[in-house]
């Protein structure tokens, strides 16, 4: 019954809210508003999206249909893995490609599954919302490179979707992927962060910081208070990890607080500690009540930065990509 009801709601949403005129109207919205609408739908209309469940399947279909209504040609990449009881769990990634002037790619990814009994507003409806907003904002922009959007399934069960995606990449595809941008838990943390590789491979992080300064957005890096995570870097606990392992430069946006708790980014707020994975906290009612205005501000900030960032990289004569601080 729940599945039929949500499919009916999806049909109403597609034909009444996201027909051609609906997409155009949404494209005129202020930064963050599109993201907020997507987060609200995922959290309150679908609810928890545990890997292999109807909830995850409904979220997958919602993301697919959103890309489709925006004019993309999305694809589903199914995969399976063994559950804790040796049962087979089926999940999938959803991909959509924005062609650019070059076939070299930048990947923007966010996982859409949740843990059990959690609406997943922060973790990770927020990341999916920003990804879909950026897909809408840039759909008619002539970008210098191709942008591949990926909604990953089954992140919460061991980064399954991103690991599977990278495992299926050929060497030429890896070589043509110039960066992976990961969006995870953006809504609630005390501060907004951007992480990246150590050394020269951290150039996307530095570009994001330059853009945030221009836009007067307060974007931080991990200050390196915990010696296990040097300044500007982060741990391998989200969907960027497989790409990093493959040698692809990564950037990871998140909202948390690296200055409290164990100084490892897991304690997100001074007032209420961690929000993610908590069924009493990672829901729309709690977040809107306890952090009024924060989620919309965060979604707006990340959407603005990322929409600008994907236009700020230009290829040189060797097909390599270098950051530029102004668009051509």
């Amino acid at each position: 019954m729940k599945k039929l009801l949500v499919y009916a709601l999806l049909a109403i949403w597609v034909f009444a809210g996201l027909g051609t005129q609906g997409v155009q109207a949404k494209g005129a919205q202020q930064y963050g508003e599109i993201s907020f609408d997507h987060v609200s739908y995922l959290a309150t209309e679908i609810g928890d999206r545990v890997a292999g469940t109807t909830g995850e399947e409904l979220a997958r279909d919602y993301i697919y249909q959103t890309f489709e209504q925006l004019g993309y040609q999305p694809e589903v990449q199914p995969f399976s893995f063994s559950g804790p009881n040796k049962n087979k769990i089926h999940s999938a990634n959803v991909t959509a490609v924005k062609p650019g002037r070059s076939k070299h790619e930048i990947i923007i990814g966010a996982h859409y599954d949740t843990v059990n009994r959690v609406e997943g507003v922060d973790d990770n409806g927020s990341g999916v919302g920003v990804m879909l907003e950026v897909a809408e904002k840039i759909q008619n922009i002539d970008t210098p490179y191709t942008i591949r959007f990926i909604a990953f399934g089954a992140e919460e069960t061991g980064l399954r979707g991103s690991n599977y995606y990278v495992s299926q990449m050929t060497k030429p595809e890896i070589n043509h992927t110039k960066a992976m941008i990961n969006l995870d838990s953006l809504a609630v943390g005390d501060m907004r962060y951007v992480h990246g590789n150590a050394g020269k491979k951290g150039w996307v992080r530095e570009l994001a910081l330059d853009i945030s300064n221009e836009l007067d957005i307060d974007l931080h890096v991990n200050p390196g208070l915990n010696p296990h995570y040097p300044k500007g870097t982060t741990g391998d606990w989200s969907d960027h990890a497989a790409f990093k392992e493959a040698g692809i430069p990564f950037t990871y946006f998140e909202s948390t607080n690296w200055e409290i708790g164990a100084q490892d980014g897991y304690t997100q707020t001074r007032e209420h500690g961690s929000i993610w994975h908590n069924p009493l906290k990672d829901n729309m009612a709690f977040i809107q009540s306890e952090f009024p205005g924060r989620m919309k501000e965060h979604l707006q900030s990340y959407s603005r930065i990322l929409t600008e960032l994907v236009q700020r990289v230009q290829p040189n004569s060797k097909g390599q990509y270098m950051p530029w601080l102004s668009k051509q």
Side-chain angles (χ1 to χ4, degrees), residues 301-321:
S301 297
Y302 290 117
S303 295
R304 289 184 68 197
I305 292 169
L306 191 52
T307 298
E308 189 66 25
L309 188 151
V310 297
Q311 302 174 67
R312 294 287 192 103
V313 192
Q314 301 291 342
N316 65 21
S317 60
K318 295 181 180 179
Q320 298 169 326
Y321 283 78

Side-chain angles (χ1 to χ4, degrees), residues 211-237:
I211 292 169
S212 69
N213 287 333
E214 293 175 22
L215 298 176
D216 197 26
I217 294 173
D218 197 17
L219 186 65
H220 297 260
V221 297
N222 159 27
L225 300 176
N226 187 324
H228 295 290
Y229 309 105
K231 183 177 179 179
T233 69
T234 188
D236 295 337
W237 47 62

